[in-house]
Amino acid sequence: MKIGILSRNAKLYSTRRLVEAAKERGHEARVIDHLRCFMDLGTANPTIHYKDEEFCPGDFDAVIPRIGASVTFYGTSVVRQFEMMGTYNVNESVAISRARDKLRATQLLSRKGVGIPQTAFANSPDDVDGLIREVGGAPLVIKLLEGTQGVGVVLAETKKAAESVIQAFMGVKSDILIQESDRCHAAHCP
């Protein structure tokens, strides 16, 4: 089997391990920097160009996307192009996009009955008190929708601190989620 691994850095431990595991099982694995790809969208035969090569349908049996959060938009467009070419993707472009969108992921999990912290979202600071009340009051967690790996997450211990942080984020037009903190959640659990 020919496997393409979409990764910015072939030297990353996780990427190297994927290549090693594929080879140990008798497969051919190739690392492709998805940001160095460009796509031919205007023909009936979709292709992907990488450096001086052209990948066509059938060149890879499967693709393993390793798309960093900072390049989700472009990375998922490359994954979509492989999908258009009929290549199996371990993670489909729509799944990557949904997982990277905190609001959408929270809505999907909630709809399926997966336990999530009490969460509120708003576009305007008009009813900060209502947002805080919706999640059970302080302490509460405020998360930037664009943040990853803990960046843009604030624990507001008091109502006054929560009001200040919410108004500051909304004042610079940042989209945020408000969630009950673990301590709050634990208090509501039997």
Side-chain angles (χ1 to χ4, degrees):
M1 181 181 288
K2 290 189 270 181
I3 301 171
I5 300 171
L6 302 181
S7 175
R8 298 286 331 277
N9 186 349
K11 295 177 182 176
L12 287 175
Y13 174 76
S14 57
T15 302
R16 285 193 340 260
R17 281 296 298 132
L18 286 170
V19 172
E20 290 170 13
K23 289 180 179 179
E24 287 169 2
R25 289 164 179 78
H27 304 298
E28 181 183 324
R30 173 134 183 240
V31 178
I32 301 159
D33 181 349
H34 45 283
L35 290 189
R36 304 224 25 224
C37 292
F38 71 91
M39 297 151 281
D40 182 0
L41 305 173
T43 66
N45 299 315
T47 59
I48 294 176
H49 298 263
Y50 177 64
K51 298 181 179 181
D52 59 350
E53 294 179 77
E54 179 179 87
F55 300 137
C56 300
D59 284 349
F60 292 99
D61 298 303
V63 169
I64 301 172
R66 307 275 300 146
I67 309 298
S70 65
V71 294
T72 298
F73 178 78
Y74 196 80
T76 55
S77 71
V78 174
V79 173
R80 263 193 313 278
Q81 189 74 356
F82 274 110
E83 292 167 353
M84 298 292 294
M85 293 165 49
T87 306
Y88 173 77
N89 285 275
V90 173
N91 301 104
E92 294 178 353
S93 60
V94 69
I96 296 168
S97 295
R98 285 178 176 166
R100 296 283 165 80
D101 181 338
K102 286 181 194 167
L103 178 60
R104 180 76 176 128
T106 300
Q107 290 171 321
L108 290 169
L109 291 169
S110 177
R111 182 175 73 190
K112 294 296 183 181
V114 175
I116 60 170
Q118 186 64 38
T119 304
F121 174 74
N123 183 49
S124 167
D126 292 345
D127 192 9
V128 173
D129 285 339
L131 281 172
I132 294 169
R133 192 173 47 254
E134 190 65 30
V135 300
L140 57 88
V141 176
I142 303 161
K143 297 180 180 181
L144 285 172
L145 286 183
E146 298 84 29
T148 61
Q149 300 178 348
V151 175
V153 177
V154 176
L155 173 62
E157 296 278 357
T158 66
K159 183 175 187 247
K160 191 164 191 72
E163 289 171 344
S164 178
V165 172
I166 292 167
Q167 289 171 346
F169 279 147
M170 288 185 164
V172 293
K173 308 286 188 233
S174 292
D175 291 322
I176 56 173
L177 287 177
I178 315 301
Q179 293 183 322
E180 65 182 333
S181 75
D182 287 342
R183 284 181 276 166
C184 253
H185 183 65
H188 300 309
C189 295

